[in-house]
Amino acid sequence: MWLPELNLGTLFIDGGWGPSSAGTVFESTNPATGETIGTLSAGDATDTRRAIAAAATAQPEWAARTAYDRSAVLYEAHRLMRERADDLAHLMTVEQGKPLRAARNEVNYGADFLLWFAEEAKRVYGAMIPSPRADQRFLVMHKPVGVVAAITPWNYPISMITRKVAPAIAAGCTVVLKPAEQTPICAVAIFELLAEAGLPPGVANLITTERPEPVGAEMLASPLVRKLTFTGSTEVGKRLAGEAASRMKRVSVELGGHAPFIVFGDADPSHAAKGAALVKFLNTGQACICPNRIFVHRSLVGEFVATFTERVAALKAGNGLEAGISIGPLIDRTALEKMNRHVSDAVSKGATLVAGGEQLTGEAFGQGAFFAPTILSNVTPEMTIYREETFGPIAPVITFDDESEVVAMANDTSYGLASYVYTRDIGLALRVTEALDFGIVGINDINPTAAAAPFGGMKESGLGREGAQEGLAEYLETKLVGLSI
Ligand code: NAP
């Protein structure tokens, strides 16, 4: 199996690979088999300080390069990533567990951010604003925020890195990134590729570790770090954003979700059920945009659940390297315990278990934490699954009767990331879209994401947007110039 070079150590600081200062290591394992894939350096506060210093030294020179120079590095990184797509996808399946086809999609999605921000790097425009004074002109210009601390999760171990690093680099910032402890080798592979693409020393630095706290604390304590960009759980994101705010650092946080998926009475139930099965079980339900509450109009619920059940029955669980697999393992046993807790709580409060509901064991599943794709119907607001992000392959179906009721139910959550609406009535679609407190709405569409589109949530799903023009603005300061003539 292809792996990036790990022997020199996996901290990438000031353009060189090396071990942690304390010499400590940790292992990355395959969630489908429990086998060790590789040994990584476990960075700590000292290493993080060194990486921040390198980023701070490199930043003025990187910002002084032309946008065309910065863009050229991103174009080359994009080319290398596409060239290595098969190896990267294979690595991702082995380290994170998602089926190979889904891993290929993620590699392409991750590469799209390199391309998009290679293009956007050249479009950081300023403005000239008329002044109320005849002898004055206003100029607006942008400058990079400075050193960025980036923290990423395991569920999208490549695209969550490029979604942050590409705009930071394009803007003229420098970065210190801490990837998730479950998927550090994917991060090493991306940093190897960035170095090969010609990124100067210190512009992007990587701290792999299995102890996130001291690394995060150092990132937040350092006055050299001007921005925190975090993707992960709402619990950790709120804590880190709070600390960053107390030090007046800029913050972007992409957090958890609890997406409503609303099927109105005029929708095509087969089309909606097909969409629900695809997006609910994406990455084994471990995506922030996965539906967590599927609201179906009473007139359609029987037909919808029947088609949905047929589709779910066709999903095959197993090692993502094998052909025909669409459900990989959960990331760990804690996730498995959460699935059991959500199912037993819902069933004890009156939900009907339509499909699945148990851990999958046996030879085909080895040591992996596999859970059967599950459908619960008659789910109600008293159940834990109605409130907590499940982050696994359980689809709760809730029946509703009218538009205002379902909008209120959909918005009855502290989250506000993705939402989905199925209807053939354009007026209804627009009314509901306007009423939903979510950053993303898919109308008869289960994939409302792309590098060109602003991704992000409202309420406790986060602050800021990634991708699109907005994604670059997150890494730029605005400077106003008053010019007396
Ligand atoms: P998590 O536990 O919050 O971890 C996310 C990252 O934060 C990891 O790198 C983790 O390191 C690190 N971390 C944890 N505690 C830290 C601390 N005290 N200081 C510094 N870093 C710390 O989340 P996760 O389980 O990896 O990811 C799943 C969550 O991410 C879900 O809620 C999902 O909805 C959300 N997500 C959101 C988006 C979005 O775009 N909105 C995208 C993907 C995922 P370790 O790995 O070492 O613990």
Side-chain angles (χ1 to χ4, degrees):
M1 181 194 129
W2 176 84
L3 279 181
E5 174 62 55
L6 303 177
N7 291 334
L8 298 172
T10 60
L11 306 189
F12 187 66
I13 299 177
D14 207 12
W17 293 98
S20 65
S21 49
T24 44
V25 294
F26 69 108
E27 287 180 343
S28 177
T29 53
N30 180 335
T33 62
E35 285 159 5
T36 299
I37 314 164
T39 302
L40 295 111
S41 312
D44 59 15
T46 308
D47 301 307
T48 308
R49 212 170 302 134
R50 210 155 50 85
I52 293 170
T57 304
Q59 202 270 325
E61 206 179 306
W62 182 241
R65 295 269 193 111
T66 67
Y68 284 80
D69 279 355
R70 295 197 297 271
S71 170
V73 174
L74 288 169
Y75 273 117
E76 177 58 8
H78 173 258
R79 191 192 66 74
L80 287 169
M81 199 158 157
R82 295 301 295 243
E83 192 175 276
R84 274 171 218 178
D86 284 345
D87 283 340
L88 290 169
H90 193 275
L91 168 63
M92 196 193 298
T93 296
V94 171
E95 191 174 43
Q96 192 271 334
K98 72 183 59 170
L100 204 46
R101 211 171 71 152
R104 280 211 187 89
N105 288 342
E106 187 190 334
V107 172
N108 290 339
Y109 178 55
D112 283 350
F113 288 104
L114 297 171
L115 182 60
W116 172 260
F117 287 110
E119 292 160 347
E120 285 298 295
K122 294 173 280 184
R123 296 185 193 123
V124 179
Y125 302 144
M128 193 156 195
I129 298 175
S131 162
R133 263 170 47 201
D135 67 344
Q136 187 190 44
R137 301 291 181 271
F138 283 130
L139 304 179
V140 176
M141 53 179 73
H142 297 287
K143 76 186 288 269
V145 164
V147 176
V148 173
I151 299 178
T152 50
W154 50 265
N155 65 335
Y156 284 85
I158 285 184
S159 57
M160 294 301 100
I161 293 178
T162 55
R163 200 163 80 169
K164 296 184 185 308
V165 171
I169 289 174
C173 296
T174 54
V175 186
V176 178
L177 182 125
K178 191 213 82 63
E181 67 193 74
Q182 294 96 334
T183 52
I185 306 181
C186 283
V188 170
I190 295 306
F191 273 69
E192 205 171 64
L193 180 156
L194 288 170
E196 261 179 80
L199 207 61
V203 174
N205 305 273
L206 174 69
I207 303 290
T208 51
T209 188
E210 91 293 30
R211 283 180 305 123
E213 292 84 3
V215 173
E218 188 60 36
M219 287 171 157
L220 292 166
S222 172
L224 298 173
V225 172
R226 294 310 318 139
K227 177 183 171 79
L228 168 74
T229 172
F230 171 90
T231 298
S233 63
T234 295
E235 185 197 346
V236 176
K238 276 164 89 171
R239 195 157 9 103
L240 298 184
E243 287 171 32
S246 72
R247 290 159 171 132
M248 274 303 149
K249 294 185 198 302
R250 302 253 312 232
V251 171
S252 308
V253 282
E254 296 283 352
L255 309 176
H258 207 277
F261 186 104
I262 308 173
V263 184
F264 282 101
D266 69 324
D268 172 350
S270 300
H271 184 57
K274 181 178 164 193
L278 284 167
V279 68
K280 172 65 234 184
F281 297 100
L282 187 71
N283 205 12
T284 311
Q286 302 170 116
C288 50
I289 62 164
C290 281
N292 220 108
R293 290 165 301 153
I294 300 175
F295 296 103
V296 185
H297 191 264
R298 192 172 300 280
S299 63
L300 284 188
V301 78
E303 207 178 332
F304 175 89
V305 170
T307 317
F308 191 39
T309 309
E310 266 171 42
R311 294 227 157 232
V312 170
L315 299 174
K316 198 169 158 211
N319 186 323
L321 291 180
E322 289 163 20
I325 295 296
S326 39
I327 299 282
L330 290 164
I331 193 68
D332 56 26
R333 306 203 84 75
T334 312
L336 201 57
E337 283 156 24
K338 189 177 192 185
M339 298 311 111
N340 283 322
R341 181 164 62 78
H342 275 198
V343 171
S344 57
D345 170 83
V347 170
S348 75
K349 291 175 182 159
T352 309
L353 184 61
V354 180
E358 77 283 304
Q359 182 186 354
L360 295 170
T361 52
E363 210 178 312
F365 304 110
Q367 298 300 308
F370 287 90
F371 197 82
T374 297
I375 302 175
L376 292 167
S377 66
N378 300 317
V379 168
T380 59
E382 298 70 43
M383 300 171 187
T384 305
I385 200 162
Y386 194 93
R387 306 266 164 216
E388 250 184 42
E389 184 183 34
T390 302
F391 227 54
I394 307 176
V397 177
I398 302 135
T399 308
F400 75 92
D401 291 295
D402 68 53
E403 182 185 331
S404 56
E405 175 201 15
V406 77
V407 167
M409 288 198 289
N411 284 337
D412 180 22
T413 168
S414 56
Y415 294 105
L417 187 57
S419 57
Y420 304 87
V421 178
Y422 273 71
T423 174
R424 287 183 270 208
D425 177 340
I426 191 167
L428 174 64
L430 211 51
R431 273 199 312 278
V432 172
T433 296
E434 287 175 2
L436 286 172
D437 297 330
F438 291 81
I440 300 169
V441 184
I443 303 174
N444 302 316
D445 182 19
I446 52 160
N447 190 16
T449 58
F455 186 103
M458 299 179 181
K459 292 155 77 178
E460 293 197 2
S461 286
L463 294 171
R465 292 295 180 270
E466 290 195 318
Q469 292 172 329
E470 285 93 329
L472 188 57
E474 300 280 341
Y475 295 88
L476 293 168
E477 290 283 8
T478 296
K479 185 179 283 184
L480 171 68
V481 183
L483 178 70
S484 194
I485 56 173

